[in-house]
Short mmCIF file of all heavy atoms in Angstrom, two decimals:
data_model
loop_
_atom_site.label_atom_id
_atom_site.label_comp_id
_atom_site.label_asym_id
_atom_site.label_seq_id
_atom_site.Cartn_x
_atom_site.Cartn_y
_atom_site.Cartn_z
N MET C 1 -11.14 7.29 -13.66
CA MET C 1 -10.14 6.64 -12.80
C MET C 1 -9.54 7.66 -11.85
O MET C 1 -9.09 8.71 -12.26
CB MET C 1 -9.04 6.00 -13.67
CG MET C 1 -7.95 5.32 -12.86
SD MET C 1 -8.48 3.83 -11.99
CE MET C 1 -8.65 2.69 -13.38
N GLN C 2 -9.56 7.31 -10.56
CA GLN C 2 -8.92 8.17 -9.57
C GLN C 2 -7.55 7.62 -9.21
O GLN C 2 -7.34 6.40 -9.23
CB GLN C 2 -9.76 8.21 -8.30
CG GLN C 2 -10.89 9.21 -8.35
CD GLN C 2 -11.50 9.36 -6.96
OE1 GLN C 2 -12.03 8.39 -6.44
NE2 GLN C 2 -11.40 10.52 -6.39
N PHE C 3 -6.66 8.48 -8.86
CA PHE C 3 -5.30 8.08 -8.49
C PHE C 3 -4.99 8.53 -7.08
O PHE C 3 -5.54 9.51 -6.59
CB PHE C 3 -4.29 8.68 -9.47
CG PHE C 3 -4.49 8.23 -10.89
CD1 PHE C 3 -5.32 8.94 -11.73
CD2 PHE C 3 -3.85 7.10 -11.37
CE1 PHE C 3 -5.53 8.52 -13.04
CE2 PHE C 3 -4.05 6.68 -12.68
CZ PHE C 3 -4.89 7.39 -13.52
N PHE C 4 -4.08 7.81 -6.44
CA PHE C 4 -3.62 8.25 -5.13
C PHE C 4 -2.16 7.84 -4.97
O PHE C 4 -1.64 7.04 -5.74
CB PHE C 4 -4.50 7.70 -4.00
CG PHE C 4 -4.13 6.31 -3.54
CD1 PHE C 4 -3.54 6.11 -2.30
CD2 PHE C 4 -4.37 5.22 -4.34
CE1 PHE C 4 -3.20 4.84 -1.87
CE2 PHE C 4 -4.03 3.93 -3.92
CZ PHE C 4 -3.44 3.74 -2.68
N ALA C 5 -1.52 8.40 -3.94
CA ALA C 5 -0.10 8.16 -3.72
C ALA C 5 0.11 7.24 -2.53
O ALA C 5 -0.45 7.46 -1.46
CB ALA C 5 0.63 9.47 -3.48
N VAL C 6 0.91 6.20 -2.71
CA VAL C 6 1.35 5.40 -1.57
C VAL C 6 2.43 6.15 -0.83
O VAL C 6 2.41 6.26 0.40
CB VAL C 6 1.88 4.03 -2.04
CG1 VAL C 6 2.62 3.31 -0.92
CG2 VAL C 6 0.71 3.16 -2.53
N GLU C 7 3.38 6.72 -1.59
CA GLU C 7 4.47 7.44 -0.95
C GLU C 7 4.49 8.89 -1.45
O GLU C 7 4.02 9.77 -0.76
CB GLU C 7 5.79 6.73 -1.24
CG GLU C 7 6.97 7.30 -0.48
CD GLU C 7 6.87 7.11 1.04
OE1 GLU C 7 6.00 6.34 1.49
OE2 GLU C 7 7.63 7.77 1.76
N GLU C 8 5.02 9.11 -2.62
CA GLU C 8 5.13 10.47 -3.11
C GLU C 8 4.37 10.68 -4.41
O GLU C 8 3.68 11.67 -4.60
CB GLU C 8 6.60 10.84 -3.34
CG GLU C 8 7.38 11.03 -2.06
CD GLU C 8 8.86 11.27 -2.35
OE1 GLU C 8 9.26 11.24 -3.53
OE2 GLU C 8 9.61 11.49 -1.38
N GLU C 9 4.53 9.72 -5.31
CA GLU C 9 3.96 9.89 -6.63
C GLU C 9 2.51 9.42 -6.68
O GLU C 9 2.20 8.32 -6.22
CB GLU C 9 4.79 9.11 -7.66
CG GLU C 9 6.18 9.66 -7.86
CD GLU C 9 6.95 8.82 -8.87
OE1 GLU C 9 6.86 9.14 -10.07
OE2 GLU C 9 7.60 7.86 -8.46
N VAL C 10 1.67 10.25 -7.26
CA VAL C 10 0.25 9.92 -7.35
C VAL C 10 0.04 9.08 -8.61
O VAL C 10 -0.28 9.60 -9.68
CB VAL C 10 -0.60 11.20 -7.39
CG1 VAL C 10 -2.09 10.85 -7.41
CG2 VAL C 10 -0.28 12.08 -6.19
N ILE C 11 0.27 7.77 -8.48
CA ILE C 11 0.27 6.89 -9.65
C ILE C 11 -0.63 5.67 -9.47
O ILE C 11 -0.91 4.97 -10.43
CB ILE C 11 1.70 6.40 -9.96
CG1 ILE C 11 2.35 5.78 -8.72
CG2 ILE C 11 2.56 7.55 -10.51
CD1 ILE C 11 3.73 5.17 -8.99
N HIS C 12 -1.09 5.40 -8.27
CA HIS C 12 -1.85 4.17 -8.04
C HIS C 12 -3.32 4.37 -8.38
O HIS C 12 -3.89 5.42 -8.14
CB HIS C 12 -1.70 3.71 -6.59
CG HIS C 12 -0.35 3.15 -6.30
ND1 HIS C 12 -0.06 1.81 -6.38
CD2 HIS C 12 0.81 3.77 -6.01
CE1 HIS C 12 1.22 1.62 -6.10
NE2 HIS C 12 1.78 2.81 -5.88
N HIS C 13 -3.91 3.31 -8.92
CA HIS C 13 -5.29 3.36 -9.38
C HIS C 13 -6.24 2.99 -8.24
O HIS C 13 -6.25 1.85 -7.77
CB HIS C 13 -5.51 2.37 -10.53
CG HIS C 13 -4.73 2.72 -11.75
ND1 HIS C 13 -5.00 2.14 -12.98
CD2 HIS C 13 -3.68 3.55 -11.95
CE1 HIS C 13 -4.15 2.63 -13.89
NE2 HIS C 13 -3.34 3.47 -13.28
N VAL C 14 -7.02 3.94 -7.78
CA VAL C 14 -7.96 3.69 -6.68
C VAL C 14 -9.00 2.66 -7.13
O VAL C 14 -9.62 2.79 -8.17
CB VAL C 14 -8.66 5.00 -6.26
CG1 VAL C 14 -9.76 4.72 -5.24
CG2 VAL C 14 -7.64 5.98 -5.69
N GLY C 15 -9.17 1.62 -6.31
CA GLY C 15 -10.21 0.62 -6.56
C GLY C 15 -9.89 -0.37 -7.65
O GLY C 15 -10.74 -1.18 -8.02
N ASP C 16 -8.65 -0.36 -8.17
CA ASP C 16 -8.27 -1.27 -9.25
C ASP C 16 -7.47 -2.43 -8.69
O ASP C 16 -6.32 -2.25 -8.26
CB ASP C 16 -7.44 -0.50 -10.29
CG ASP C 16 -7.09 -1.37 -11.50
OD1 ASP C 16 -7.41 -2.58 -11.49
OD2 ASP C 16 -6.49 -0.83 -12.44
N ALA C 17 -8.05 -3.61 -8.66
CA ALA C 17 -7.38 -4.79 -8.12
C ALA C 17 -6.22 -5.23 -9.00
O ALA C 17 -5.42 -6.08 -8.62
CB ALA C 17 -8.37 -5.94 -7.94
N GLN C 18 -6.14 -4.68 -10.20
CA GLN C 18 -5.03 -4.99 -11.11
C GLN C 18 -4.14 -3.76 -11.28
O GLN C 18 -3.55 -3.55 -12.34
CB GLN C 18 -5.58 -5.39 -12.50
CG GLN C 18 -6.61 -6.50 -12.47
CD GLN C 18 -6.04 -7.82 -12.00
OE1 GLN C 18 -4.89 -8.13 -12.28
NE2 GLN C 18 -6.81 -8.59 -11.26
N CYS C 19 -4.03 -2.95 -10.27
CA CYS C 19 -3.25 -1.71 -10.35
C CYS C 19 -1.87 -1.96 -10.96
O CYS C 19 -1.09 -2.76 -10.44
CB CYS C 19 -3.10 -1.11 -8.95
SG CYS C 19 -2.06 0.36 -8.93
N PRO C 20 -1.56 -1.30 -12.07
CA PRO C 20 -0.31 -1.58 -12.78
C PRO C 20 0.93 -1.02 -12.09
O PRO C 20 2.05 -1.39 -12.44
CB PRO C 20 -0.50 -0.90 -14.14
CG PRO C 20 -1.50 0.18 -13.89
CD PRO C 20 -2.40 -0.32 -12.80
N GLU C 21 0.75 -0.15 -11.10
CA GLU C 21 1.90 0.47 -10.44
C GLU C 21 2.30 -0.28 -9.18
O GLU C 21 3.28 0.08 -8.52
CB GLU C 21 1.59 1.93 -10.09
CG GLU C 21 1.23 2.79 -11.29
CD GLU C 21 2.38 2.88 -12.28
OE1 GLU C 21 3.54 2.68 -11.90
OE2 GLU C 21 2.09 3.15 -13.46
N CYS C 22 1.53 -1.31 -8.80
CA CYS C 22 1.81 -2.04 -7.57
C CYS C 22 2.87 -3.12 -7.78
O CYS C 22 3.08 -3.59 -8.90
CB CYS C 22 0.54 -2.69 -7.04
SG CYS C 22 -0.40 -1.62 -5.97
N LEU C 23 3.48 -3.52 -6.66
CA LEU C 23 4.34 -4.69 -6.67
C LEU C 23 3.51 -5.92 -6.97
O LEU C 23 2.30 -5.93 -6.82
CB LEU C 23 4.98 -4.86 -5.29
CG LEU C 23 5.89 -3.74 -4.81
CD1 LEU C 23 6.42 -4.10 -3.42
CD2 LEU C 23 7.04 -3.54 -5.78
N GLU C 24 4.20 -6.99 -7.36
CA GLU C 24 3.52 -8.26 -7.52
C GLU C 24 2.87 -8.65 -6.22
O GLU C 24 3.38 -8.34 -5.14
CB GLU C 24 4.53 -9.33 -7.94
CG GLU C 24 4.79 -9.33 -9.44
CD GLU C 24 5.64 -10.52 -9.83
OE1 GLU C 24 5.24 -11.66 -9.52
OE2 GLU C 24 6.69 -10.30 -10.43
N GLU C 25 1.76 -9.35 -6.31
CA GLU C 25 0.99 -9.79 -5.14
C GLU C 25 0.13 -8.67 -4.56
O GLU C 25 -0.63 -8.89 -3.64
CB GLU C 25 1.88 -10.35 -4.01
CG GLU C 25 2.98 -11.27 -4.47
CD GLU C 25 2.50 -12.71 -4.66
OE1 GLU C 25 1.73 -13.18 -3.84
OE2 GLU C 25 2.91 -13.32 -5.66
N TYR C 26 0.26 -7.47 -5.10
CA TYR C 26 -0.56 -6.35 -4.64
C TYR C 26 -1.37 -5.83 -5.80
O TYR C 26 -1.00 -6.05 -6.94
CB TYR C 26 0.34 -5.23 -4.08
CG TYR C 26 0.95 -5.57 -2.74
CD1 TYR C 26 2.19 -6.19 -2.67
CD2 TYR C 26 0.28 -5.26 -1.56
CE1 TYR C 26 2.75 -6.52 -1.44
CE2 TYR C 26 0.84 -5.58 -0.33
CZ TYR C 26 2.07 -6.21 -0.28
OH TYR C 26 2.62 -6.52 0.94
N PRO C 27 -2.46 -5.10 -5.54
CA PRO C 27 -3.01 -4.74 -4.24
C PRO C 27 -3.61 -5.94 -3.49
O PRO C 27 -4.05 -6.89 -4.11
CB PRO C 27 -4.11 -3.73 -4.56
CG PRO C 27 -3.94 -3.37 -6.00
CD PRO C 27 -3.22 -4.49 -6.64
N GLU C 28 -3.61 -5.82 -2.17
CA GLU C 28 -4.30 -6.79 -1.33
C GLU C 28 -5.59 -6.16 -0.82
O GLU C 28 -5.67 -4.95 -0.66
CB GLU C 28 -3.43 -7.17 -0.13
CG GLU C 28 -2.23 -8.00 -0.51
CD GLU C 28 -1.64 -8.72 0.69
OE1 GLU C 28 -2.00 -8.38 1.82
OE2 GLU C 28 -0.81 -9.61 0.46
N SER C 29 -6.56 -7.00 -0.52
CA SER C 29 -7.81 -6.44 -0.02
C SER C 29 -7.64 -6.02 1.43
O SER C 29 -6.96 -6.68 2.21
CB SER C 29 -8.95 -7.45 -0.16
OG SER C 29 -8.63 -8.64 0.51
N CYS C 30 -8.24 -4.91 1.78
CA CYS C 30 -8.20 -4.37 3.14
C CYS C 30 -9.52 -4.69 3.83
O CYS C 30 -10.56 -4.72 3.18
CB CYS C 30 -7.98 -2.86 3.05
SG CYS C 30 -7.90 -2.05 4.65
N PRO C 31 -9.48 -4.90 5.14
CA PRO C 31 -10.73 -5.17 5.87
C PRO C 31 -11.76 -4.05 5.75
O PRO C 31 -12.94 -4.28 5.95
CB PRO C 31 -10.27 -5.31 7.32
CG PRO C 31 -8.81 -5.57 7.27
CD PRO C 31 -8.30 -4.99 5.99
N CYS C 32 -11.32 -2.86 5.42
CA CYS C 32 -12.25 -1.74 5.29
C CYS C 32 -13.02 -1.78 3.98
O CYS C 32 -13.94 -1.02 3.77
CB CYS C 32 -11.52 -0.41 5.40
SG CYS C 32 -10.66 0.06 3.88
N GLY C 33 -12.62 -2.70 3.07
CA GLY C 33 -13.28 -2.78 1.78
C GLY C 33 -12.47 -2.16 0.66
O GLY C 33 -12.82 -2.27 -0.51
N GLY C 34 -11.39 -1.49 1.01
CA GLY C 34 -10.50 -0.90 0.02
C GLY C 34 -9.43 -1.88 -0.41
O GLY C 34 -9.50 -3.07 -0.13
N LEU C 35 -8.42 -1.35 -1.09
CA LEU C 35 -7.30 -2.15 -1.56
C LEU C 35 -6.00 -1.56 -1.03
O LEU C 35 -5.80 -0.35 -1.06
CB LEU C 35 -7.25 -2.16 -3.10
CG LEU C 35 -8.38 -2.91 -3.80
CD1 LEU C 35 -8.40 -2.55 -5.28
CD2 LEU C 35 -8.23 -4.41 -3.62
N ILE C 36 -5.12 -2.45 -0.54
CA ILE C 36 -3.82 -2.01 -0.03
C ILE C 36 -2.81 -2.10 -1.15
O ILE C 36 -2.51 -3.18 -1.66
CB ILE C 36 -3.39 -2.88 1.16
CG1 ILE C 36 -4.40 -2.75 2.32
CG2 ILE C 36 -1.99 -2.47 1.64
CD1 ILE C 36 -4.15 -3.70 3.46
N HIS C 37 -2.29 -0.96 -1.55
CA HIS C 37 -1.30 -0.88 -2.62
C HIS C 37 0.11 -0.87 -2.03
O HIS C 37 0.29 -0.49 -0.87
CB HIS C 37 -1.50 0.40 -3.44
CG HIS C 37 -2.81 0.45 -4.16
ND1 HIS C 37 -2.90 0.41 -5.53
CD2 HIS C 37 -4.07 0.52 -3.68
CE1 HIS C 37 -4.18 0.48 -5.88
NE2 HIS C 37 -4.92 0.55 -4.78
N ALA C 38 1.09 -1.27 -2.82
CA ALA C 38 2.47 -1.35 -2.34
C ALA C 38 3.45 -0.84 -3.37
O ALA C 38 3.28 -1.03 -4.57
CB ALA C 38 2.80 -2.80 -1.97
N GLU C 39 4.48 -0.19 -2.84
CA GLU C 39 5.60 0.29 -3.65
C GLU C 39 6.89 -0.08 -2.96
O GLU C 39 6.95 -0.12 -1.73
CB GLU C 39 5.60 1.83 -3.69
CG GLU C 39 4.80 2.45 -4.77
CD GLU C 39 4.86 3.97 -4.70
OE1 GLU C 39 5.88 4.53 -4.24
OE2 GLU C 39 3.87 4.59 -5.11
N SER C 40 7.93 -0.30 -3.72
CA SER C 40 9.24 -0.41 -3.10
C SER C 40 10.20 0.48 -3.88
O SER C 40 9.96 0.83 -5.03
CB SER C 40 9.75 -1.85 -3.12
OG SER C 40 10.15 -2.21 -4.41
N ARG C 41 11.25 0.86 -3.21
CA ARG C 41 12.25 1.66 -3.88
C ARG C 41 13.56 1.36 -3.17
O ARG C 41 13.60 1.05 -1.99
CB ARG C 41 11.93 3.14 -3.75
CG ARG C 41 12.65 3.98 -4.79
CD ARG C 41 12.06 5.36 -4.83
NE ARG C 41 10.66 5.35 -5.27
CZ ARG C 41 9.79 6.31 -5.02
NH1 ARG C 41 10.14 7.35 -4.31
NH2 ARG C 41 8.55 6.24 -5.47
N GLY C 42 14.62 1.39 -3.87
CA GLY C 42 15.86 1.17 -3.18
C GLY C 42 16.77 0.23 -3.96
O GLY C 42 16.43 -0.13 -5.07
N PRO C 43 17.91 -0.12 -3.45
CA PRO C 43 18.34 0.21 -2.09
C PRO C 43 18.47 1.71 -1.87
O PRO C 43 18.84 2.43 -2.76
CB PRO C 43 19.68 -0.49 -1.93
CG PRO C 43 20.00 -1.14 -3.21
CD PRO C 43 18.92 -0.86 -4.20
N ASP C 44 18.13 2.11 -0.69
CA ASP C 44 18.05 3.52 -0.37
C ASP C 44 18.67 3.74 1.01
O ASP C 44 18.57 2.90 1.88
CB ASP C 44 16.58 3.93 -0.35
CG ASP C 44 16.42 5.43 -0.51
OD1 ASP C 44 17.42 6.10 -0.81
OD2 ASP C 44 15.31 5.91 -0.32
N GLY C 45 19.32 4.86 1.18
CA GLY C 45 19.87 5.19 2.48
C GLY C 45 21.21 4.54 2.73
O GLY C 45 21.69 3.72 1.97
N ALA C 46 21.79 4.90 3.83
CA ALA C 46 23.15 4.53 4.15
C ALA C 46 23.31 3.02 4.36
O ALA C 46 24.35 2.45 4.06
CB ALA C 46 23.64 5.27 5.39
N ASP C 47 22.28 2.38 4.86
CA ASP C 47 22.40 0.95 5.14
C ASP C 47 22.07 0.09 3.93
O ASP C 47 22.19 -1.13 3.97
CB ASP C 47 21.55 0.55 6.35
CG ASP C 47 20.07 0.87 6.15
OD1 ASP C 47 19.72 1.39 5.08
OD2 ASP C 47 19.29 0.60 7.08
N GLY C 48 21.63 0.72 2.84
CA GLY C 48 21.42 -0.02 1.61
C GLY C 48 20.21 -0.93 1.60
O GLY C 48 20.06 -1.76 0.71
N THR C 49 19.32 -0.76 2.56
CA THR C 49 18.14 -1.61 2.59
C THR C 49 17.05 -1.06 1.68
O THR C 49 16.91 0.15 1.53
CB THR C 49 17.57 -1.73 4.01
OG1 THR C 49 17.37 -0.42 4.52
CG2 THR C 49 18.51 -2.50 4.92
N GLU C 50 16.31 -1.96 1.08
CA GLU C 50 15.15 -1.53 0.31
C GLU C 50 14.00 -1.27 1.26
O GLU C 50 13.89 -1.89 2.30
CB GLU C 50 14.73 -2.63 -0.68
CG GLU C 50 15.74 -2.83 -1.78
CD GLU C 50 15.20 -3.74 -2.86
OE1 GLU C 50 13.98 -3.75 -3.09
OE2 GLU C 50 16.00 -4.45 -3.45
N TRP C 51 13.14 -0.38 0.87
CA TRP C 51 11.95 -0.18 1.69
C TRP C 51 10.70 -0.57 0.93
O TRP C 51 10.66 -0.58 -0.29
CB TRP C 51 11.86 1.22 2.26
CG TRP C 51 11.93 2.37 1.29
CD1 TRP C 51 13.00 3.20 1.08
CD2 TRP C 51 10.89 2.86 0.44
NE1 TRP C 51 12.67 4.15 0.15
CE2 TRP C 51 11.40 3.96 -0.26
CE3 TRP C 51 9.58 2.46 0.21
CZ2 TRP C 51 10.63 4.66 -1.19
CZ3 TRP C 51 8.82 3.16 -0.72
CH2 TRP C 51 9.35 4.25 -1.40
N LEU C 52 9.73 -0.88 1.69
CA LEU C 52 8.42 -1.24 1.15
C LEU C 52 7.39 -0.33 1.83
O LEU C 52 7.41 -0.17 3.05
CB LEU C 52 8.11 -2.70 1.47
CG LEU C 52 6.69 -3.20 1.15
CD1 LEU C 52 6.47 -3.31 -0.35
CD2 LEU C 52 6.47 -4.56 1.81
N ARG C 53 6.56 0.27 1.02
CA ARG C 53 5.52 1.13 1.59
C ARG C 53 4.17 0.61 1.10
O ARG C 53 4.00 0.30 -0.07
CB ARG C 53 5.68 2.58 1.12
CG ARG C 53 6.89 3.28 1.69
CD ARG C 53 6.75 3.62 3.16
NE ARG C 53 7.91 4.37 3.65
CZ ARG C 53 9.03 3.81 4.07
NH1 ARG C 53 9.15 2.51 4.06
NH2 ARG C 53 10.03 4.54 4.51
N THR C 54 3.24 0.56 2.02
CA THR C 54 1.90 0.10 1.67
C THR C 54 0.88 1.13 2.13
O THR C 54 1.10 1.83 3.14
CB THR C 54 1.57 -1.24 2.34
OG1 THR C 54 1.81 -1.15 3.74
CG2 THR C 54 2.43 -2.37 1.77
N ARG C 55 -0.21 1.24 1.40
CA ARG C 55 -1.28 2.15 1.83
C ARG C 55 -2.59 1.72 1.19
O ARG C 55 -2.64 1.39 0.02
CB ARG C 55 -0.96 3.59 1.42
CG ARG C 55 -1.86 4.60 2.11
CD ARG C 55 -1.45 6.04 1.82
NE ARG C 55 -0.08 6.34 2.21
CZ ARG C 55 0.30 6.62 3.46
NH1 ARG C 55 -0.58 6.67 4.43
NH2 ARG C 55 1.55 6.88 3.73
N CYS C 56 -3.63 1.75 2.01
CA CYS C 56 -4.96 1.42 1.53
C CYS C 56 -5.54 2.61 0.76
O CYS C 56 -5.36 3.76 1.18
CB CYS C 56 -5.86 1.07 2.71
SG CYS C 56 -7.57 0.79 2.24
N ASP C 57 -6.21 2.32 -0.35
CA ASP C 57 -6.76 3.43 -1.15
C ASP C 57 -8.06 3.98 -0.57
O ASP C 57 -8.60 4.96 -1.06
CB ASP C 57 -6.92 3.02 -2.62
CG ASP C 57 -7.88 1.85 -2.82
OD1 ASP C 57 -8.64 1.53 -1.90
OD2 ASP C 57 -7.84 1.25 -3.91
N LEU C 58 -8.55 3.34 0.51
CA LEU C 58 -9.79 3.82 1.10
C LEU C 58 -9.56 4.42 2.49
O LEU C 58 -9.85 5.58 2.74
CB LEU C 58 -10.80 2.67 1.17
CG LEU C 58 -12.26 3.05 1.37
CD1 LEU C 58 -12.77 3.93 0.22
CD2 LEU C 58 -13.13 1.80 1.48
N CYS C 59 -8.99 3.62 3.40
CA CYS C 59 -8.79 4.13 4.77
C CYS C 59 -7.41 4.77 4.94
O CYS C 59 -7.15 5.38 5.97
CB CYS C 59 -8.99 3.02 5.79
SG CYS C 59 -7.78 1.67 5.71
N ARG C 60 -6.53 4.61 3.94
CA ARG C 60 -5.21 5.25 3.91
C ARG C 60 -4.28 4.75 5.01
O ARG C 60 -3.29 5.39 5.33
CB ARG C 60 -5.32 6.80 4.01
CG ARG C 60 -6.20 7.40 2.95
CD ARG C 60 -5.59 7.19 1.58
NE ARG C 60 -6.58 7.38 0.52
CZ ARG C 60 -6.51 8.32 -0.40
NH1 ARG C 60 -5.52 9.15 -0.42
NH2 ARG C 60 -7.43 8.41 -1.32
N ARG C 61 -4.59 3.58 5.56
CA ARG C 61 -3.66 3.00 6.53
C ARG C 61 -2.63 2.16 5.80
O ARG C 61 -2.86 1.68 4.69
CB ARG C 61 -4.42 2.11 7.52
CG ARG C 61 -5.27 2.89 8.49
CD ARG C 61 -5.97 1.97 9.47
NE ARG C 61 -6.88 1.06 8.78
CZ ARG C 61 -7.60 0.13 9.41
NH1 ARG C 61 -7.51 -0.02 10.70
NH2 ARG C 61 -8.42 -0.64 8.73
N SER C 62 -1.47 1.96 6.44
CA SER C 62 -0.49 1.03 5.90
C SER C 62 -0.90 -0.39 6.28
O SER C 62 -1.72 -0.60 7.19
CB SER C 62 0.90 1.33 6.46
OG SER C 62 0.94 0.98 7.83
N GLN C 63 -0.31 -1.36 5.59
CA GLN C 63 -0.62 -2.75 5.90
C GLN C 63 -0.26 -3.08 7.36
O GLN C 63 -0.97 -3.83 8.03
CB GLN C 63 0.16 -3.66 4.95
CG GLN C 63 -0.35 -5.09 4.95
CD GLN C 63 0.19 -5.89 3.79
OE1 GLN C 63 1.31 -5.66 3.32
NE2 GLN C 63 -0.60 -6.81 3.29
N GLU C 64 0.84 -2.50 7.85
CA GLU C 64 1.24 -2.73 9.24
C GLU C 64 0.15 -2.26 10.20
O GLU C 64 -0.19 -2.95 11.16
CB GLU C 64 2.54 -1.99 9.57
CG GLU C 64 3.78 -2.56 8.91
CD GLU C 64 3.91 -2.16 7.45
OE1 GLU C 64 3.33 -1.11 7.07
OE2 GLU C 64 4.54 -2.88 6.67
N ASP C 65 -0.39 -1.07 9.93
CA ASP C 65 -1.44 -0.54 10.79
C ASP C 65 -2.67 -1.44 10.77
O ASP C 65 -3.28 -1.70 11.80
CB ASP C 65 -1.85 0.87 10.34
CG ASP C 65 -0.78 1.88 10.67
OD1 ASP C 65 0.13 1.56 11.46
OD2 ASP C 65 -0.85 2.99 10.13
N VAL C 66 -3.04 -1.89 9.59
CA VAL C 66 -4.21 -2.74 9.46
C VAL C 66 -4.01 -4.05 10.22
O VAL C 66 -4.89 -4.50 10.95
CB VAL C 66 -4.50 -3.02 7.97
CG1 VAL C 66 -5.55 -4.12 7.82
CG2 VAL C 66 -4.95 -1.75 7.26
N GLU C 67 -2.82 -4.64 10.07
CA GLU C 67 -2.56 -5.91 10.74
C GLU C 67 -2.50 -5.73 12.26
O GLU C 67 -2.93 -6.61 13.01
CB GLU C 67 -1.25 -6.53 10.21
CG GLU C 67 -1.49 -7.19 8.87
CD GLU C 67 -0.20 -7.60 8.17
OE1 GLU C 67 0.89 -7.39 8.74
OE2 GLU C 67 -0.31 -8.13 7.05
N GLU C 68 -1.98 -4.62 12.71
CA GLU C 68 -2.00 -4.33 14.15
C GLU C 68 -3.43 -4.27 14.67
O GLU C 68 -3.74 -4.81 15.72
CB GLU C 68 -1.32 -2.99 14.43
CG GLU C 68 0.13 -3.12 14.84
CD GLU C 68 0.76 -1.77 15.08
OE1 GLU C 68 0.09 -0.91 15.69
OE2 GLU C 68 1.89 -1.57 14.65
N ASP C 69 -4.28 -3.60 13.94
CA ASP C 69 -5.68 -3.50 14.35
C ASP C 69 -6.33 -4.87 14.39
O ASP C 69 -7.07 -5.19 15.31
CB ASP C 69 -6.45 -2.60 13.37
CG ASP C 69 -6.18 -1.13 13.64
OD1 ASP C 69 -5.43 -0.83 14.58
OD2 ASP C 69 -6.74 -0.29 12.92
N LEU C 70 -6.05 -5.70 13.39
CA LEU C 70 -6.63 -7.04 13.36
C LEU C 70 -6.13 -7.86 14.53
O LEU C 70 -6.87 -8.63 15.12
CB LEU C 70 -6.25 -7.74 12.05
CG LEU C 70 -6.95 -7.21 10.79
CD1 LEU C 70 -6.44 -7.96 9.57
CD2 LEU C 70 -8.46 -7.34 10.88
N GLY C 71 -4.84 -7.68 14.89
CA GLY C 71 -4.27 -8.43 15.99
C GLY C 71 -4.89 -8.10 17.33
O GLY C 71 -4.95 -8.92 18.22
N ARG C 72 -5.37 -6.86 17.44
CA ARG C 72 -5.95 -6.43 18.71
C ARG C 72 -7.37 -6.97 18.89
O ARG C 72 -7.81 -7.19 19.99
CB ARG C 72 -5.99 -4.91 18.76
CG ARG C 72 -4.78 -4.32 19.44
CD ARG C 72 -4.92 -2.83 19.62
NE ARG C 72 -3.86 -2.13 18.91
CZ ARG C 72 -4.03 -1.26 17.93
NH1 ARG C 72 -5.25 -0.97 17.53
NH2 ARG C 72 -3.02 -0.66 17.35
N GLU C 73 -8.05 -7.15 17.78
CA GLU C 73 -9.44 -7.59 17.88
C GLU C 73 -9.54 -9.10 17.74
O GLU C 73 -9.02 -9.67 16.79
CB GLU C 73 -10.27 -6.93 16.77
CG GLU C 73 -10.43 -5.43 16.98
CD GLU C 73 -10.94 -4.76 15.71
OE1 GLU C 73 -11.59 -5.43 14.90
OE2 GLU C 73 -10.66 -3.56 15.54
N PRO C 74 -10.21 -9.76 18.68
CA PRO C 74 -10.39 -11.20 18.54
C PRO C 74 -11.22 -11.53 17.31
O PRO C 74 -12.18 -10.83 17.00
CB PRO C 74 -11.13 -11.60 19.83
CG PRO C 74 -11.61 -10.36 20.46
CD PRO C 74 -10.85 -9.21 19.86
N ALA C 75 -10.84 -12.62 16.65
CA ALA C 75 -11.51 -12.98 15.40
C ALA C 75 -12.94 -13.45 15.67
O ALA C 75 -13.21 -14.05 16.70
CB ALA C 75 -10.73 -14.07 14.67
ZN1 ZN P 1 -1.31 0.29 -6.73
ZN1 ZN P 2 -8.43 0.07 4.22
#
């Protein structure tokens, strides 16, 4: 089993669709063939908002980046 970090801690299971460290509903499949893992932490910072971080275990993009790419390319 290989591990990788979404944010800081190297705890996510590469290629595991049932990754135990992910939020519910994650990992999601990435168009690159990898899995997009997600973490949240918080409330954090002065404004008290929680953050969500996502990262693909293969292409290492965030979900936002992947969706931006999909939006640019016609289906
Ligand atoms: Zn994960
Ligand atoms: Zn990917």
